[in-house]
Amino acid sequence: MKQQLLAKFGEIFGGTEGAKVYFAPGRVNLIGEHTDYNGGHVFPSALTIGTYGVARKREDKVLRFYSLNFEQLGVIESTVEGLKPEKEADWTNYPKGVMWAFGLRGMEVTNGMDLLLFGNIPNGSGLSSSASVEVLTGSILRDMYGFEVSNQDLALIGQYSENNFNGVNCGIMDQFAIAMGKKDNAIFLDTATLQFEYAPIVLEGAKIVISYSNKKRGLGDSKYNERRSECETALAELQKVIDIKTLGDLTEEEFEANKGAIASDIRIQRAKHAVYENQRTMKAVAALKANNITLFGELMNASHVSLRDDYEVTGIELDTLVEEAWKIDGVIGSRMTGAGFGGCTVSIVKDEAIETFKEQVGKAYLEKIGYAADFYVVEIGDGPVIL
Ligand code: GLA
């Protein structure tokens, strides 16, 4: 892979002298969905698939970008001076946003660069291809300029740039999972405090299977921001009757006792999901620690039901994938993962059931939706690396 990417870089940008190869993973969230902007817990893992980047510092101020995933766009040129989002430049707004955000933190990106990217996570699949590009860019800049930034900072800078440069109001989960990834572990993160612990994912005789609906989603054009503001309003209503900072502060009982303060039924549903999902995530991690994978799977299933019925972010594609998965013997748990509205589901499937899973879920999906789903048996990998 490294040699092929370097060769391609040489072909596009002329020579490979001074060029280095970097990698940042994608992520899958096992449980804890739409909790990260509600002060709750999440439980994601980095994957071994992600984004590769070949980068070389330039003497001048010119930025030249090329993506093997968007070859039709050719080389996209820009400059490090006065960085601002450009609609027509599309994906290059992610690396540019990170350069801009480094500058705001006093780490001036003074020179241009040639940057070639290749992602083996399908973009728009909800496995965080954009956060992967952000963390990748951050780790390139750190290496290129010797900036002193921790991996956690790379996550925060990535999120800041996505919020303020790209206009997507995402939480911290994706960038954190990617920057802090650890092989064979998931990250149990309290998004209110950024305290976290690694939890080994030991699945004896089972694997993580990701089903991609092939329905793309973009956070900007989804109802993501609408859900966020529904939760913010519900929180403000609850704060009139109970002293809390976030929805993540509430237990199920406290929520039930105080939900009357929320003036709309829809907002009660949204807040209920945020509260119960956070509690579910804590229970799921406890179940995993107690080696009770069956309970972990049941909590994954309950998470999907809540995202479908109360939070309403699934849609027919994700519901079909999950409901068909539930029918199969050997499926320990299955739910949508990421923002929803399209993208992927995550399932824990016993080894002997994986082929049946792909076949039966694939067939039912194609019949109902009219186009095929893709399946990936994935492994949990590390955070960003220099190759
Ligand atoms: C997207 C966002 C995350 C998180 C999830 C939902 O992936 O980027 O911050 O909110 O949706 O859990």
Side-chain angles (χ1 to χ4, degrees):
M1 178 71 86
K2 185 178 169 184
Q3 291 317 320
Q4 275 163 294
L5 289 171
L6 276 170
K8 192 73 191 179
F9 180 93
E11 198 183 296
I12 304 287
F13 294 121
T16 57
E17 218 193 16
K20 282 172 86 168
V21 185
Y22 304 81
F23 173 79
R27 71 94 187 91
V28 64
N29 188 23
L30 299 175
I31 192 161
E33 216 65 81
H34 289 278
T35 48
D36 68 345
Y37 51 85
N38 285 310
H41 292 78
V42 292
F43 195 50
S45 298
L47 297 170
T48 53
I49 49 175
T51 319
Y52 293 82
V54 189
R56 178 172 61 196
K57 199 176 188 176
R58 292 174 59 91
E59 294 298 313
D60 58 15
K61 306 273 181 197
V62 176
L63 291 169
R64 292 198 295 172
F65 298 104
Y66 188 88
S67 168
L68 292 168
N69 300 81
F70 300 102
E71 292 205 87
Q72 70 282 7
L73 299 178
V75 175
I76 299 173
E77 276 208 18
S78 191
T79 160
V80 283
E81 287 168 312
L83 285 165
K84 57 180 186 323
E86 290 162 85
K87 273 221 161 59
E88 64 280 8
D90 209 343
W91 71 266
T92 68
N93 285 327
Y94 292 107
K96 279 189 215 150
V98 173
M99 294 175 194
W100 169 82
F102 264 75
L104 288 185
R105 289 198 170 202
M107 295 178 285
E108 202 64 45
V109 179
T110 48
N111 293 48
M113 82 164 79
D114 292 333
L115 178 63
L116 174 122
L117 288 199
F118 169 66
N120 56 3
I121 13 177
N123 56 291
S125 65
L127 301 178
S128 292
S129 52
S130 23
S132 177
V133 171
E134 289 156 8
V135 173
L136 179 83
T137 308
S139 62
I140 291 173
L141 294 175
R142 174 168 68 185
D143 183 49
M144 203 174 254
Y145 290 88
F147 293 139
E148 285 193 18
V149 272
S150 65
N151 278 21
Q152 187 161 321
D153 287 332
L154 293 186
L156 290 166
I157 294 171
Q159 184 203 15
Y160 184 87
S161 73
E162 181 141 354
N163 291 168
N164 298 291
F165 196 86
N166 300 94
V168 179
N169 224 351
C170 64
I172 188 61
M173 172 171 74
D174 303 346
Q175 291 81 1
F176 201 95
I178 289 168
M180 305 296 285
K182 183 171 167 188
K183 187 174 161 45
D184 296 332
N185 281 261
I187 306 174
F188 182 42
L189 170 69
D190 179 348
T191 62
T193 60
L194 292 191
Q195 283 189 347
F196 70 97
E197 63 179 278
Y198 290 109
I201 301 293
V202 188
L203 300 172
E204 271 154 38
K207 295 207 166 50
I208 299 174
V209 181
I210 290 176
S211 311
Y212 177 30
S213 65
N214 275 309
K215 183 182 180 201
K216 293 206 178 189
R217 47 150 288 276
L219 290 187
D221 55 35
S222 71
K223 291 190 175 290
Y224 185 87
N225 288 350
E226 185 183 300
R227 290 292 176 281
R228 273 196 79 135
S229 66
E230 287 166 342
C231 287
E232 276 158 23
T233 309
L235 173 65
E237 290 170 297
L238 284 166
Q239 281 169 330
K240 289 186 187 142
V241 295
I242 184 167
D243 183 20
I244 49 167
K245 287 204 175 59
T246 68
L247 293 177
D249 290 341
L250 291 173
T251 61
E252 293 102 328
E253 294 73 27
E254 286 165 338
F255 175 74
E256 294 303 332
N258 290 283
K259 67 182 182 190
I262 305 173
S264 109
D265 288 344
I266 290 281
R267 283 199 300 277
I268 292 179
Q269 272 175 241
R270 308 298 191 235
K272 179 180 177 199
H273 167 78
V275 171
Y276 279 64
E277 179 75 355
N278 179 43
Q279 297 295 325
R280 234 183 329 263
T281 305
M282 294 191 261
K283 288 177 195 157
V285 175
L288 196 72
K289 284 185 181 161
N291 230 345
N292 190 346
I293 191 76
T294 309
L295 177 57
F296 188 88
E298 283 165 11
L299 291 161
M300 286 176 76
N301 297 347
S303 163
H304 186 84
V305 170
S306 176
L307 289 155
R308 183 189 66 193
D309 300 343
D310 285 334
Y311 217 62
E312 297 183 281
V313 292
T314 55
I316 184 154
E317 296 84 2
L318 296 176
D319 288 339
T320 303
L321 288 173
V322 165
E323 286 157 20
E324 290 300 327
W326 287 343
K327 291 180 190 164
I328 293 167
D329 250 4
V331 170
I332 294 164
S334 184
R335 55 181 291 277
M336 60 151 267
T337 185
F341 311 104
C344 291
T345 69
V346 57
S347 310
I348 300 180
V349 188
K350 290 195 175 147
D351 291 339
E352 64 274 13
I354 292 177
E355 279 317 304
T356 319
F357 178 98
K358 289 187 196 167
E359 227 169 83
Q360 291 188 13
V361 176
K363 184 163 174 277
Y365 186 80
L366 180 61
E367 270 165 22
K368 190 154 178 186
I369 306 297
Y371 52 85
D374 289 321
F375 301 95
Y376 305 86
V377 177
V378 294
E379 280 167 44
I380 300 179
D382 284 315
V385 285
I386 303 176
L387 295 174

